[in-house]
Amino acid sequence: MTTMPRIGLGIDLHRLVPERPCVLAGITLPADVGPAGHSDGDAVLHAACDAVLGAAGLDDLGTLFSDKDPANAGRASGEFCLEAMRRVRAAGLRVVGMDVVVETERPKLAPHRLAMRQSLSRLFAVELDRVNLKGKTGEGLDAIGQGQALRATVVALLADVACDAGD
Ligand code: MG
């Protein structure tokens, strides 16, 4: 049986601040700045959750895990992914593709791309060769270009669990 795939988009912007762990895509990168946030600030996982939830037609991350709720303070965003994927599976869907763009001046992501892809592959139960991630800079312009913030943009493709999705 073949059904139509579903696409979702997630975008997340976080301020970059000193003396904060730089957690991105579920791993901690060596850096002198990190994304600020109520949770661990992992903008990549937040955008990825919103992409898969959006594709499934489900509530977004901010609705599921309010940044006003003290229970979410300092929380590892991997926990948000587990809940998002629980809901995606309950809807009879699976992730069959994910592409990620991270706009930031620092840290440089190239040395960490494989580890970040592997982490996303585990968290969203999608084959490694169907997860990509690239880093871009802000060319010195706006808050990203001046190193004050980073932004993650993620598109995710979902298919029915029962569907081969062209495998
Ligand atoms: Mg966020």
Side-chain angles (χ1 to χ4, degrees):
M1 185 181 73
T2 301
T3 56
M4 293 296 286
R6 302 156 180 245
I7 194 165
L9 171 67
I11 298 176
D12 199 28
L13 178 94
H14 279 243
R15 283 186 298 116
L16 278 174
V17 294
E19 296 174 9
R20 171 98 181 165
C22 189
V23 184
L24 289 174
I27 62 173
T28 303
L29 308 181
D32 57 359
V33 292
H38 187 63
S39 62
D40 61 7
D42 191 331
V44 173
L45 292 191
H46 297 175
C49 284
D50 269 347
V52 300
L53 290 167
L58 298 169
D59 284 339
D60 72 350
L61 192 67
T63 303
L64 297 179
F65 298 101
S66 169
D67 62 4
K68 307 288 185 289
D69 186 345
N72 295 328
R75 213 164 156 189
S77 296
E79 296 177 27
F80 303 157
C81 299
L82 293 178
E83 178 60 17
M85 287 303 295
R86 190 189 68 74
R87 289 170 183 250
V88 163
R89 279 192 205 93
L93 297 165
R94 65 187 175 110
V95 181
V96 296
M98 183 175 280
D99 197 15
V100 180
V101 175
V102 184
E103 296 165 83
T104 189
E105 293 300 304
R106 53 189 172 149
K108 293 300 178 199
L109 300 183
H112 311 294
R113 279 186 63 227
L114 177 58
M116 295 170 82
R117 288 176 55 218
Q118 288 170 331
S119 177
L120 290 165
S121 169
R122 277 193 301 272
L123 287 166
F124 292 95
V126 56
E127 292 88 339
L128 182 61
D129 66 356
R130 293 179 177 220
V131 182
N132 212 338
L133 182 145
K134 65 215 94 179
K136 307 288 285 183
T137 69
E139 296 285 340
L141 301 170
D142 69 27
I144 293 171
Q146 291 173 18
Q148 298 165 359
L150 66 77
R151 176 166 49 221
T153 303
V154 178
V155 288
L157 192 70
L158 272 57
D160 287 359
V161 168
C163 174
D164 284 338
D167 286 344

